[in-house]
């Protein structure tokens, strides 16, 4: 398709969504040769993890429009699609934290399943009324997760696009359901949809209950660094800027009806990741007492149903669309640590608003 001029991004005040909007508005990598859109419409409900401050510096950009609202509000979505002449929907909005889904599954069912269905149906009715190039060029991209595939053993091959779904938490089950809904709208209605399944993201603006920012902030505050179980769970780490590039490459060049796996090509045990963070913080911001941050590591009771390993086979997106991660783990981690060190006010504001602060004593093992 041609590069869309008017894009609706759902959940654009979240971690990945805000980084994607930054890419769209010219703050991304020049290697991708982006044609900047005329308008980016950000629809976000501003739940605990949605932070409008993530995009404060873009508030006065004429190409950026923020709307506070729910993807489950069909009348709102219908009006936005029509009013702004939307040519593509990029759907990030979701409840994403596994621990929260174990404690209280209901919001995950409501947002990730019912919300996605409502958004899909509004987009389908809007798309049906389009004609000619506008109809042919419309796209709906669903951003999903590797967790829908379940768990891998140590020597299993990485997840590929045809790996059977086997979700093991209420969160991953709700995302699997949304993926199936999106797939069904292609096969039943011919709607031009795409899906990406990504591995663990890290980078600027990530909510502090996730593993990497939690470890950084707890370390700097002199708090325990809690690691689930024995810390040997393995994740594939993807820098958020590379993920944003992949999403847009799929949106503009991917084959409709297809799914594309996106990973960082960097598998690492959680405990090794935490030790790496500690060593980098030792160099970048030494403890006042001169002792290593690793002394703050504490092993805690494992999460129920904790998946052992995720790994992504990215040959499809690399071969078909020419995408590959630009950041190594070393370069991405350096950028991430420096961002949190120089943006302490951002983290402080979140803590002061007590966005789920009671959960920040546990890590996000995924």
């Amino acid at each position: 398709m041609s590069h869309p001029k008017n894009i609706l991004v759902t959940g654009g005040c979240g971690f990945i969504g805000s980084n994607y909007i930054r890419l769209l508005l010219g703050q991304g990598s020049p290697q991708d040769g982006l044609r900047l859109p005329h308008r980016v419409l950000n629809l976000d409900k501003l739940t605990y993890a949605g932070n409008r401050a993530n995009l404060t510096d873009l508030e006065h950009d004429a190409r950026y429009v923020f709307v506070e609202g729910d993807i489950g509000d069909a009348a709102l979505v219908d009006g936005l699609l029509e009013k702004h002449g939307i040519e593509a929907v990029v759907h990030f909005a979701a409840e994403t934290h596994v621990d929260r889904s174990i404690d209280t599954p209901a919001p995950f069912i409501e947002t990730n399943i019912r919300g996605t269905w409502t958004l899909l149906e509004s987009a389908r009715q809007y798309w049906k009324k389009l004609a000619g190039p506008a109809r042919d060029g419309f796209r709906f991209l669903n951003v999903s997760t590797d967790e829908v595939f379940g768990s891998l053993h140590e020597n299993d091959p990485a997840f590929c696009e045809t790996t059977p779904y086997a979700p093991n938490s209420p969160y991953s089950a709700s995302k699997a359901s949304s993926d199936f809904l999106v797939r069904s709208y292609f096969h039943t209605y011919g709607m031009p949809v795409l899906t990406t399944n990504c591995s663990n993201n890290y980078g600027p603006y990530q909510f502090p209950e996730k593993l990497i920012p939690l470890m950084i902030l707890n370390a700097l505050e002199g708090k325990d660094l809690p690691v689930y179980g024995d810390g040997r769970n393995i994740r594939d780490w993807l820098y958020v800027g590379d993920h944003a590039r992949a999403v847009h490459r799929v949106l503009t060049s991917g084959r409709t009806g297809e799914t594309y796996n996106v990973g960082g090509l960097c598998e690492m045990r959680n405990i090794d990741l935490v030790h790496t963070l500690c060593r980098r913080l030792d160099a970048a911001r030494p403890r006042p007492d001169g002792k290593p941050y690793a002394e703050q590591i504490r092993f805690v009771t494992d999460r129920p149903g904790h998946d052992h390993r995720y790994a992504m086979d990215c040959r499809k997106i690399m071969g078909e669309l020419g995408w590959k991660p630009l950041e190594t783990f070393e370069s991405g981690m350096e950028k991430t640590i420096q961002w949190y060190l120089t943006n302490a006010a951002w983290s402080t504001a979140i803590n002061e608003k007590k966005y789920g602060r009671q959960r920040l004593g546990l890590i996000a093992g995924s």
Side-chain angles (χ1 to χ4, degrees):
M1 69 175 291
S2 61
H3 289 247
K5 298 177 181 178
N6 299 313
I7 301 176
L8 169 61
V9 177
T10 71
C13 289
F15 165 47
I16 305 175
S18 62
N19 276 278
Y20 179 65
I21 288 175
R22 290 182 173 280
L23 177 75
L24 291 180
L25 295 180
Q27 300 188 20
S29 168
Q31 291 94 323
D32 238 31
L34 289 177
R35 300 176 191 172
L36 301 183
H38 290 179
R39 180 178 290 110
V40 177
L41 178 62
N42 174 12
L43 175 62
D44 197 296
K45 191 177 179 181
L46 295 181
T47 59
Y48 75 95
N51 188 354
R52 191 167 177 177
N54 289 359
L55 296 166
T56 298
D57 55 319
L58 299 178
E59 291 278 354
H60 300 295
D61 190 319
R63 298 167 300 161
Y64 174 69
V65 179
F66 170 71
V67 175
E68 183 175 352
D70 191 340
I71 59 171
D73 184 342
L76 173 63
V77 175
D78 292 346
L80 293 175
L81 291 169
E82 294 281 354
K83 177 181 177 180
H84 296 278
I86 296 300
E87 298 169 72
V89 177
V90 182
H91 179 36
F92 291 97
E95 294 283 346
T96 64
H97 192 49
V98 176
D99 285 344
R100 289 178 181 270
S101 81
I102 294 170
D103 290 347
T104 311
F108 293 76
I109 306 306
E110 186 63 30
T111 298
N112 299 353
I113 302 177
R114 182 177 293 276
T116 296
W117 169 74
T118 303
L119 183 69
L120 267 172
E121 188 59 19
S122 289
R124 182 176 76 89
Q125 297 300 333
Y126 170 76
W127 167 71
K128 279 172 55 178
K129 294 184 287 187
L130 299 175
R135 180 183 173 92
D136 295 339
F138 184 82
R139 296 290 184 271
F140 183 107
L141 192 153
N142 172 49
V143 180
S144 190
T145 173
D146 55 2
E147 297 195 38
V148 298
F149 298 119
S151 182
L152 293 170
H153 294 296
E154 203 82 6
N155 298 314
D156 286 343
F159 299 132
C160 66
E161 287 79 2
T162 57
T163 299
Y165 277 28
N168 291 321
S169 71
Y171 160 61
S172 57
S174 68
K175 289 297 289 182
S177 299
S178 67
D179 291 2
F180 288 145
L181 281 169
V182 172
R183 172 187 167 88
S184 75
Y185 270 57
F186 174 76
H187 288 279
T188 302
Y189 304 113
M191 187 172 164
V193 302
L194 306 117
T195 292
T196 57
N197 294 87
C198 71
S199 61
N200 280 48
N201 281 222
Y202 69 99
Y205 300 101
Q206 188 169 27
F207 189 76
E209 70 187 355
K210 298 292 187 173
L211 175 57
I212 288 177
L214 176 63
M215 293 297 112
I216 294 172
L217 299 175
N218 272 18
L220 296 175
E221 294 173 13
K223 298 179 179 180
D224 287 350
L225 305 181
V227 177
Y228 277 141
D230 59 8
R232 294 175 63 83
N233 301 78
I234 299 169
R235 299 295 181 261
D236 174 16
W237 292 97
L238 170 66
Y239 186 69
V240 67
D242 283 329
H243 184 200
R245 291 175 44 251
V247 167
H248 204 63
R249 187 69 63 86
V250 171
L251 178 69
T252 56
S253 303
R255 292 181 289 130
T256 58
E258 293 292 317
T259 64
Y260 293 87
N261 281 358
V262 185
L265 309 180
C266 176
E267 290 187 56
M268 186 174 294
R269 296 187 190 280
N270 285 344
I271 188 61
D272 295 334
L273 172 66
V274 175
H275 275 292
T276 298
L277 277 170
C278 288
R279 288 193 296 269
R280 287 182 171 271
L281 285 172
D282 288 338
R285 184 72 59 84
R287 275 175 41 162
D289 60 8
K291 295 181 179 181
Y293 285 105
E295 288 192 356
Q296 295 168 224
I297 295 174
R298 300 289 184 271
F299 292 98
V300 299
T301 302
D302 207 355
R303 161 196 292 161
H306 196 177
D307 291 336
H308 176 65
R309 171 177 169 246
Y310 304 142
M312 295 295 262
D313 182 337
C314 302
R315 286 178 292 181
K316 181 175 179 179
I317 189 173
M318 295 172 73
E320 285 191 15
L321 306 183
W323 173 90
K324 64 179 180 180
L326 297 179
E327 300 292 344
T328 64
F329 182 75
E330 290 72 22
S331 66
M333 189 58 64
E334 178 66 22
K335 290 181 177 181
T336 301
I337 290 174
Q338 287 304 316
W339 189 88
Y340 281 97
L341 290 179
T342 57
N343 289 274
W346 179 88
S347 303
T348 299
I350 289 178
N351 291 342
E352 287 177 350
K353 291 179 181 178
K354 301 184 185 301
Y355 285 166
R357 186 62 183 170
Q358 70 276 12
R359 296 299 304 163
L360 302 191
L362 295 177
I363 73 165
S366 56

